[in-house]
Amino acid sequence: MDFVRVELADRSYTIYISSGLMGEIGDFLTPFNLTSKNMLITNPTVYGLYGQRLLNSIHSKDIHCKCLIIPDGETYKDYFWAYHILSEMLKEGLDRKSCLFALGGGVIGDITGFCASIYMRGIPFIQIPTTLLAQVDSSVGGKTGVNHPLGKNMIGSFYQPMAVFIDTNTLNTLPNREFLAGMAEVIKYGVIWDDELFQYLDTYKDEIFTLAPARISHIIRRCCEIKAEIVGKDEKEQNIRAILNFGHTIAHALETETNYEVFKHGEAVAIGMVAEANIAKILGITDDVTVKKITDLIFAYGLPTYIPMSLNKDSLIHHMQKDKKSLVGRITIITPKRIGEVKVTKDVDIQHIKPSLNLLEVRDEKDIGD
Ligand code: NAD
Ligand code: GLY
């Protein structure tokens, strides 16, 4: 078992990482004193795979826990479904001591955390992430929320979980496309923080593809350590936490423009990282070698690297101006300097962004959703 601690004063918590943890989570719950009514939120896919095992483990400790299943998909991470969850919580009589369990990927984690943060002005919640993306990123750090047709993750809160339980065995059932989407966020950590991790991903690519347990545990633990360190320095994204958004200014625009239906979040991040690395080159912040290293590794993990030609570039720019990181329409981009180091570049001129989108268009060869 690996433990990573997120140090945030009275909001500190532990990330537990182990293979086969799902059926043992109940054993770790005693310190949380869960004496009220609690609720597990999941979707039909994940419930079918792990729901009963988790519930058996929780119930074996005489902890009361109902299960609420919402539909599977990013399009359900919205205000309507958050309202539905809150209504069910009220009907079940959850109170201020109740706890929500989020079992699933980033969609379930984000919407469950959001509901926990606003129900009776905030109740505890526990993350049990089952996708690679959720294990290395979304379950840690306390960003919760839902999408709006006018923008990705526009409604939400900073609200930390009480604990995160990662069973690495859950990756064995994850579809390959979802696994690769998670790898985009893993590559992100290499670019923004850790050139050794970046090199590791290149060196052990074949073993990572086959889910070699030692390699998978290493990358999950390392990503959680990096995220814990960054979030510990800047919980509410006043400064350094912004670097975790490398690739995301363009990714969120791509997701919004395509109505959350075309790209997996990680795929949009993969495209966004390549595009933002190119912007860094145009701005003279990085060089060709760094852009090529980033593009090659993303490509090697079978991820898309180009913006589909069919997408309207002016519309993408418009979404970027509405991004949470943009202030009064001025676009912020996380720009790599070299592998392992990035800088936050504010007020990027549209004229510097557009050519990089068009440049990618010319090289387009792996369109998704066209
Ligand atoms: P997801 O939650 O939609 O899960 C992907 C698919 O995998 C779903 O169909 C799900 O049912 C299925 N699934 C989950 N676990 C499985 C398993 N073990 N075996 C088989 N199938 C499984 O997508 P995701 O990529 O996990 O998360 C994307 C979401 O996370 C986006 O909404 C994104 O905005 C959000 N996100 C949030 C943060 C944050 O800091 N809060 C960070 C990154 C991403
Ligand atoms: N995924 C970006 C963040 O947590 O800040």
Side-chain angles (χ1 to χ4, degrees):
M1 170 93 70
D2 282 322
F3 303 93
V4 177
R5 191 83 184 140
V6 183
E7 295 293 354
L8 286 167
D10 62 344
R11 296 173 312 295
S12 299
Y13 54 96
T14 300
I15 306 165
Y16 303 78
I17 308 168
S18 173
S19 59
L21 186 57
M22 193 64 72
E24 295 164 16
I25 288 174
D27 300 346
F28 294 88
L29 298 178
T30 314
F32 302 124
N33 197 22
L34 303 178
T35 48
S36 294
K37 293 181 173 176
N38 308 292
M39 193 178 271
L40 168 67
I41 315 292
T42 188
N43 69 33
T45 314
V46 182
Y47 178 80
L49 292 164
Y50 304 109
Q52 208 49 59
R53 204 179 317 165
L54 176 60
L55 282 170
N56 288 346
S57 177
I58 296 172
H59 290 154
S60 73
K61 300 294 164 192
D62 288 330
I63 295 170
H64 181 285
C65 189
K66 281 270 183 179
C67 181
L68 177 65
I69 297 177
I70 64 167
D72 185 356
E74 180 80 35
T75 46
Y76 302 100
K77 195 182 107 173
D78 66 9
Y79 204 75
F80 172 81
W81 282 97
Y83 189 81
H84 172 75
I85 293 171
L86 292 163
S87 304
E88 293 303 309
M89 291 164 71
L90 285 166
K91 283 187 215 159
E92 280 300 325
L94 269 64
D95 60 30
R96 283 191 154 158
K97 296 264 180 224
S98 297
C99 176
L100 293 188
F101 293 86
L103 174 69
V107 167
I108 289 291
D110 281 11
I111 195 169
T112 302
F114 177 58
C115 291
S117 76
I118 57 175
Y119 186 78
M120 296 189 177
R121 301 203 172 85
I123 63 168
F125 84 111
I126 289 175
Q127 291 270 21
I128 303 152
T130 59
T131 63
L132 179 63
L133 184 139
Q135 294 176 352
V136 298
D137 195 355
S138 64
S139 67
V140 175
K143 277 191 182 176
T144 81
V146 293
N147 301 324
H148 188 281
L150 294 179
K152 172 89 179 158
N153 293 335
M154 280 296 174
I155 300 164
S157 57
F158 286 100
Y159 195 69
Q160 301 297 336
M162 196 158 64
V164 181
F165 293 101
I166 299 176
D167 180 349
T168 51
N169 283 357
T170 57
L171 300 185
N172 295 330
T173 58
L174 194 63
N176 193 45
R177 187 176 169 195
E178 299 294 352
F179 175 76
L180 297 179
M183 283 306 303
E185 300 278 12
V186 176
I187 293 169
K188 175 190 82 177
Y189 287 109
V191 177
I192 64 168
W193 200 257
D194 187 350
D195 57 342
E196 269 180 38
L197 174 64
F198 190 91
Q199 190 52 52
Y200 189 94
L201 299 176
D202 199 21
T203 307
Y204 297 111
K205 199 168 49 242
D206 294 343
E207 290 177 59
I208 292 168
F209 271 127
T210 59
L211 300 183
R215 302 295 173 211
I216 295 296
S217 300
H218 174 81
I219 60 178
I220 292 174
R221 191 189 64 242
R222 187 65 198 122
C223 292
C224 287
E225 284 169 356
I226 295 170
K227 184 141 189 193
E229 187 176 347
I230 294 172
V231 169
K233 289 180 201 291
D234 176 25
E235 182 184 10
K236 298 209 170 152
E237 205 169 299
Q238 297 302 300
N239 43 71
I240 195 173
R241 184 168 180 165
I243 70 171
L244 287 166
N245 295 314
F246 172 49
H248 285 61
T249 304
I250 287 173
H252 287 170
L254 286 168
E255 290 179 276
T256 305
E257 176 66 10
T258 54
N259 208 20
Y260 313 108
E261 285 169 348
V262 174
F263 302 104
K264 305 282 170 200
H265 175 69
E267 292 168 348
V269 170
I271 297 171
M273 289 193 289
V274 176
E276 293 182 17
N278 274 284
I279 292 167
K281 189 176 73 178
I282 289 169
L283 294 173
I285 293 167
T286 197
D287 51 24
D288 282 324
V289 178
T290 303
V291 175
K292 183 167 174 358
K293 278 186 186 168
I294 294 170
T295 311
D296 286 352
L297 191 62
I298 290 171
F299 188 79
Y301 274 93
L303 287 159
T305 51
Y306 306 117
I307 292 174
M309 295 177 79
S310 55
L311 292 188
N312 182 322
K313 304 299 181 301
D314 289 328
S315 223
L316 289 176
I317 298 266
H318 173 75
H319 293 308
M320 287 179 217
Q321 288 171 319
K322 301 271 175 201
D323 190 82
K324 289 193 293 307
K325 294 176 288 306
S326 301
L327 297 177
V328 286
R330 292 179 173 154
I331 298 172
T332 298
I333 301 275
I334 312 306
T335 44
K337 291 166 94 173
R338 58 188 71 83
I339 303 302
E341 189 181 357
V342 290
K343 71 178 270 216
V344 180
T345 305
K346 294 189 176 150
D347 206 0
V348 180
D349 194 324
I350 291 171
Q351 297 320 314
H352 289 130
I353 295 175
K354 268 196 169 171
S356 91
L357 302 181
N358 290 329
L359 173 76
L360 298 168
E361 185 177 322
V362 173
R363 298 167 60 200
D364 199 340
E365 55 192 38
K366 262 192 101 191
D367 276 2
I368 285 193
D370 263 358

